[in-house]
Structures are given as structure tokens and as C-alpha cells.
Amino acid sequence: MNDDSLWSIFINACLINNFVLAYFLGICPFLGVSGKLGTATRMGGAVTFVMLVSSMCAYGIQVLLVQIDAPYLKLISFIAVIASTVQLVEMFIKKVSPVLFRALGIFLPLITTNCAILGLALFQTNKGYGFMQSIAYALGAGLGFTLALVLMAGLREKLELAKTPDIVKGTAITLMLAGLLSICFMGFAGLSN
Amino acid sequence: MVPNNKHALPSGTDEFLKGFWKQNPVFVQVLGMCPVLAVSNTAENALAMGLATSFVLLMSNIVVSSIRGFVPKQVRIVTFILVIATFVTIVDYLIQAISLELHKALGAFISLIVVNCLILGRAEAFASKNGVLRSILDGLGMGVGFTIALLCLGAVREIFGYGSLFGLELFGQHYQKWVVMVLPAGGFFTLAGWLLLFNWYETARARRKTLKEAVA
């Protein structure tokens, strides 16, 4: 498989190098919002959308920064773009669908500090992806994030019914589950050959 | 000491020491998980990451607490993030100058210090409400606590995963390496293990305390 084809970039970001389970990006929402299946799905959707928009913006910024020869501004401009994208998305959703806006609640502004999004912008510029490749990368990363979140939420809903000792309750047992999920996802590494 | 006055500010030492144990950013507050898990595969990486984060935390605490008077409330988060991003850029270039190898090992995670919720959390929860001196103490304490936690994780993962500590061989040639500890899954397991230890200690202490009170 050609390493730079859109499809392989997509599969790579989604399964083989899953952002949450292989790169440890976006762990905070992964642990925080994975309690219920419904919220996990919506959060995944919102993150995917912000990833898509900010990845396109990041591509533009990178081109611009290379032209004015100021690579040291990369980090600052990326984070500013992400913060304003989230703000825009928030206003847009509020205007178009107040129901969805209420459902997402506090998760929307929190997306700004989701390291998966800044990570995506940094990785795609480090790898030198073009515009279409960036979009494929963002879609894959977003879907991968959603997949990990939904799987985790499903497991945790079952876990609530299980008998667990008192001292592992909370974060500890969630982290162990995440570790097991991460081992499962290592199986996808075989796809890259 | 005025133990009766509940509104008295905690002493400087308390402000510094709380980050070590009572409010340890990793084990108690569970903040800044991403770098904790990602770069703690060896003790050396963990130490470097801890120091870099502590530096950014300290500097951003100083700046945020000194400009807290004239930043309007509505734009404070954006201002804080821009301050943090500036210092992270400095650290990024510093590490690149000191050791290119280390820079490669840490990769994008140096830049990702920007979105470490620990730093923004301290800026918002502490530095924007307290004076410069107190913020310095808070930043130092939290930074040391964060570094210790990272080292705990990194050391365990390196000892089991590579059979070494800071690059020194520990077990000789016949040691069977636990590859899983170096892989991402090992990060989750090690952190879970440390949290278990912490919880166990805290519950044991609470139980002893109630027992003592019951006896008295």
C-alpha cells in the first residue's frame, strides 16, 4: 500500500496509530466524557468536526508562515486558530440547532484544550501533508477518537453493573480498561504491511 | 500560626509542599495525563518532560499573576494560552539547542505542553487570583510534584520494559524484557498501578484515623 495515499493515511490515523490509544492524545475527555454512550458519541462528533476545520486552517497557516519565514509563530498561531474555531463552531451550532447546543453543553468550549486537535495540526505539518491528505488525516483521527470514546463508554456502562473492589473504583479501573483496549488496537499494526 | 483563624492564607511552605502530595497534579488531581502517559517510557524522557513542564508552569504563573490586574475577564483564557504558548516555544527551541536527540525522543509532546490542562488550570485557579510570590511557590511545588510523578512512572516502565534505569543495565543479560511496559498499553497499566497504590494508602490512613478517634 502506498504510504501517502489518502486511504492509507485515513486508516493509519483511525486504527493503526489511534490518537487516543497509541499517541495518548485527548486522554482528558477520553477519561472524562466516556461515562455514557450518548454523550460519548456526540462529543466524538464535535471533536471530529473541529479537527476537520482546524486541520484545514492549519494547512493554510503553515503555507503562510513558510512564505513570511516565521516558523517560530507556528504554535501560537495554531492555538489561536483552534480557540477561535471552537468559538465559531459554538456560535454556529447555537444559531442552527439550539437542541444540539444544549446537548453538548460544557464539552464544546473544552475542546480547545483537547491536545488531540493541536497534536493533529502539528503532526500534519511535521509530515508535510498536502491539503487533501490533511483532510483525510483529520477525518481518520476524528473517527478514531470517536471509536475509542464509544468503545470505552460501552465498556464503562457494563462496568457499572460489575462488582469491583472499592480501591480500584474510578480512574484506576478506567485506566486498566484503556490499557486493555490499547493492546487490542495494537493488533491493527498488521494492517500497515 | 493562628490555627483558629480559618481565613488566614496558608503559609508559604504549605503553598509549596501541597503539590508534592495533598494536591499532586497527577496522582490526586489527574491533570495533564497526555504527556504523563506518552513520554514516560524511560526515566530520562520523563525527567526532561517534567523539567520542561515545570519551567513553563513557573514562568506562566509569574506572568499571569503579574498581569492579572489589567486583563479583562472575557479574554483571560485566550491571554493565558498565548502566554503559555510563548514560553513553550522558548522551551522547544531551548531543548533543540541543548540536545537534538532528546528533542526527537519527546517529539511533538514539547509543543503539546501548551494544552496541558495542568498549566492552564494553575493559571486560572491560582495565579490569576494570587500575588507573584505565592504563584512562584505554587508553580514550583506543582512542577516538582508533576516531575516526581512522571519520574515514578518513567522509572517503573524503564525498569520492567528495558531492564535498566537512566540507561544503566540493572539485571544482566538474562533478563526477559516486558515489552508491553514500553508500549502505550504499559503506560495505562503503570499509571493505574500507581493510582491503586495511592488509593490504598489513603484509605488505609483514613481507616487508621477513624480507628484512633473511636478509641479516644
Coordinates of all heavy atoms in Angstrom, one line a residue, chain A residues 83-114:
Chain A
A83 N -8.7 27.9 19.1 CA -9.6 28.6 20.0 C -10.7 29.3 19.3 O -11.9 29.2 19.7 CB -8.8 29.5 20.9
S84 N -10.3 30.0 18.2 CA -11.4 30.8 17.5 C -12.3 29.8 16.8 O -13.5 30.1 16.6 CB -10.8 31.9 16.6 OG -9.6 31.4 16.1
T85 N -11.7 28.7 16.2 CA -12.6 27.8 15.5 C -13.7 27.2 16.5 O -14.8 27.1 16.1 CB -11.8 26.6 15.0 OG1 -10.7 27.1 14.3 CG2 -12.6 25.7 14.1
V86 N -13.2 26.9 17.7 CA -14.2 26.3 18.6 C -15.2 27.4 19.0 O -16.4 27.0 19.0 CB -13.4 25.9 19.9 CG1 -14.4 25.5 21.0 CG2 -12.5 24.7 19.6
Q87 N -14.8 28.6 19.1 CA -15.8 29.7 19.4 C -16.8 29.8 18.2 O -18.0 29.9 18.5 CB -15.0 31.0 19.5 CG -15.8 32.1 20.2 CD -15.7 31.9 21.7 OE1 -14.6 31.9 22.3 NE2 -16.8 31.8 22.4
L88 N -16.3 29.8 17.0 CA -17.1 29.9 15.8 C -18.1 28.7 15.8 O -19.3 28.9 15.5 CB -16.3 29.9 14.5 CG -15.8 31.2 14.0 CD1 -15.0 31.0 12.8 CD2 -17.0 32.1 13.7
V89 N -17.6 27.5 16.0 CA -18.5 26.3 15.9 C -19.6 26.4 17.0 O -20.7 26.1 16.7 CB -17.6 25.1 16.2 CG1 -18.5 23.9 16.4 CG2 -16.7 24.8 15.0
E90 N -19.2 26.9 18.1 CA -20.1 27.1 19.2 C -21.2 28.1 18.8 O -22.4 27.7 19.0 CB -19.4 27.7 20.4 CG -20.1 27.4 21.7 CD -19.3 27.9 22.9 OE1 -18.0 28.1 22.8 OE2 -19.9 28.2 23.9
M91 N -20.9 29.2 18.2 CA -21.9 30.2 17.8 C -22.8 29.6 16.7 O -24.0 29.8 16.7 CB -21.2 31.5 17.3 CG -20.8 32.3 18.5 SD -19.7 33.7 18.3 CE -19.4 33.9 16.6
F92 N -22.1 28.9 15.8 CA -22.8 28.3 14.6 C -23.9 27.3 15.1 O -25.0 27.4 14.7 CB -21.8 27.6 13.7 CG -22.4 27.0 12.5 CD1 -22.9 27.8 11.4 CD2 -22.5 25.6 12.4 CE1 -23.4 27.2 10.3 CE2 -23.1 25.0 11.3 CZ -23.5 25.8 10.3
I93 N -23.5 26.4 16.0 CA -24.4 25.4 16.5 C -25.5 26.0 17.3 O -26.7 25.6 17.1 CB -23.6 24.3 17.3 CG1 -22.7 23.5 16.4 CG2 -24.6 23.4 18.0 CD1 -21.9 22.4 17.2
K94 N -25.2 27.0 18.0 CA -26.2 27.7 18.8 C -27.3 28.3 18.0 O -28.4 28.3 18.3 CB -25.5 28.8 19.7 CG -26.3 29.3 20.8 CD -25.4 30.3 21.6 CE -26.1 30.7 22.9 NZ -25.3 31.7 23.6
K95 N -26.8 28.9 16.8 CA -27.8 29.5 15.9 C -28.6 28.5 15.1 O -29.8 28.6 15.0 CB -26.9 30.4 14.9 CG -27.7 31.2 14.0 CD -27.9 32.6 14.5 CE -28.8 33.4 13.6 NZ -29.4 34.5 14.3
V96 N -27.9 27.4 14.6 CA -28.6 26.5 13.7 C -29.4 25.5 14.5 O -30.5 25.2 14.2 CB -27.5 25.8 12.9 CG1 -28.2 24.7 12.0 CG2 -26.9 26.7 12.0
S97 N -28.8 24.9 15.6 CA -29.5 23.9 16.3 C -29.4 24.0 17.8 O -28.4 23.5 18.4 CB -29.0 22.5 15.9 OG -29.4 21.5 16.8
P98 N -30.2 24.8 18.4 CA -30.1 25.0 19.9 C -30.2 23.7 20.7 O -29.7 23.6 21.8 CB -31.3 25.9 20.2 CG -31.7 26.5 18.9 CD -31.4 25.5 17.9
V99 N -30.9 22.7 20.1 CA -31.1 21.4 20.8 C -29.7 20.8 21.0 O -29.3 20.3 22.0 CB -32.1 20.5 20.0 CG1 -32.3 19.2 20.8 CG2 -33.4 21.2 19.8
L100 N -29.0 20.7 19.8 CA -27.7 20.1 19.9 C -26.7 20.9 20.8 O -25.9 20.3 21.5 CB -27.1 20.0 18.4 CG -25.7 19.4 18.3 CD1 -25.8 17.9 18.7 CD2 -25.2 19.5 16.9
F101 N -26.9 22.2 20.8 CA -26.1 23.1 21.6 C -26.2 22.7 23.1 O -25.3 22.6 23.8 CB -26.4 24.5 21.3 CG -25.6 25.5 22.1 CD1 -24.3 25.7 21.7 CD2 -26.0 26.1 23.3 CE1 -23.5 26.6 22.5 CE2 -25.3 27.0 24.0 CZ -24.0 27.2 23.6
R102 N -27.5 22.5 23.4 CA -27.7 22.2 24.9 C -27.2 20.8 25.2 O -26.7 20.6 26.3 CB -29.2 22.3 25.2 CG -29.6 23.6 25.8 CD -31.0 23.5 26.5 NE -32.0 23.0 25.6 CZ -32.7 23.8 24.8 NH1 -32.4 25.0 24.7 NH2 -33.6 23.3 24.0
A103 N -27.3 19.9 24.2 CA -26.9 18.5 24.5 C -25.3 18.5 24.7 O -24.8 17.7 25.5 CB -27.3 17.6 23.3
L104 N -24.6 19.3 23.9 CA -23.1 19.3 24.1 C -22.7 20.0 25.3 O -21.7 19.6 25.9 CB -22.5 19.9 22.8 CG -22.5 19.0 21.6 CD1 -22.0 19.7 20.4 CD2 -21.6 17.8 21.8
G105 N -23.4 21.1 25.6 CA -23.1 21.8 26.9 C -21.6 22.2 27.0 O -21.0 22.8 26.2
I106 N -21.1 21.9 28.2 CA -19.7 22.3 28.6 C -18.6 21.7 27.7 O -17.6 22.2 27.5 CB -19.5 21.9 30.0 CG1 -18.1 22.4 30.5 CG2 -19.6 20.5 30.3 CD1 -18.0 23.9 30.7
F107 N -18.9 20.6 27.0 CA -17.9 19.9 26.2 C -17.4 20.8 25.1 O -16.2 20.7 24.7 CB -18.4 18.6 25.6 CG -19.0 17.7 26.7 CD1 -20.1 17.0 26.5 CD2 -18.3 17.5 27.8 CE1 -20.6 16.2 27.4 CE2 -18.8 16.7 28.8 CZ -19.9 16.0 28.6
L108 N -18.2 21.6 24.5 CA -17.8 22.4 23.4 C -16.6 23.3 23.7 O -15.6 23.2 23.1 CB -19.0 23.3 22.8 CG -19.7 22.7 21.6 CD1 -20.8 23.6 21.2 CD2 -18.7 22.4 20.5
P109 N -16.7 24.2 24.7 CA -15.5 25.0 25.0 C -14.3 24.2 25.4 O -13.2 24.6 25.2 CB -16.0 26.0 26.1 CG -17.2 25.4 26.6 CD -17.8 24.6 25.5
L110 N -14.5 23.1 26.0 CA -13.4 22.3 26.5 C -12.6 21.7 25.3 O -11.5 21.2 25.6 CB -13.9 21.1 27.4 CG -14.2 21.5 28.8 CD1 -14.5 20.3 29.6 CD2 -12.9 22.1 29.4
I111 N -13.2 21.7 24.1 CA -12.4 21.1 23.0 C -11.1 21.8 22.8 O -10.2 21.3 22.3 CB -13.3 21.0 21.7 CG1 -14.5 20.1 22.0 CG2 -12.6 20.6 20.5 CD1 -15.5 20.1 20.9
T112 N -11.1 23.1 23.1 CA -9.9 24.0 22.9 C -8.7 23.3 23.5 O -7.6 23.3 22.9 CB -10.1 25.4 23.5 OG1 -11.4 25.8 23.2 CG2 -9.1 26.3 23.0
T113 N -8.8 22.8 24.7 CA -7.7 22.3 25.4 C -7.6 20.8 25.1 O -6.9 20.1 25.9 CB -7.7 22.5 26.9 OG1 -9.0 22.1 27.4 CG2 -7.4 24.0 27.2
N114 N -8.2 20.3 24.1 CA -8.0 18.8 23.8 C -6.8 18.7 23.0 O -6.6 19.2 21.9 CB -9.3 18.4 22.9 CG -9.2 16.9 22.6 OD1 -8.2 16.3 22.7 ND2 -10.4 16.4 22.4

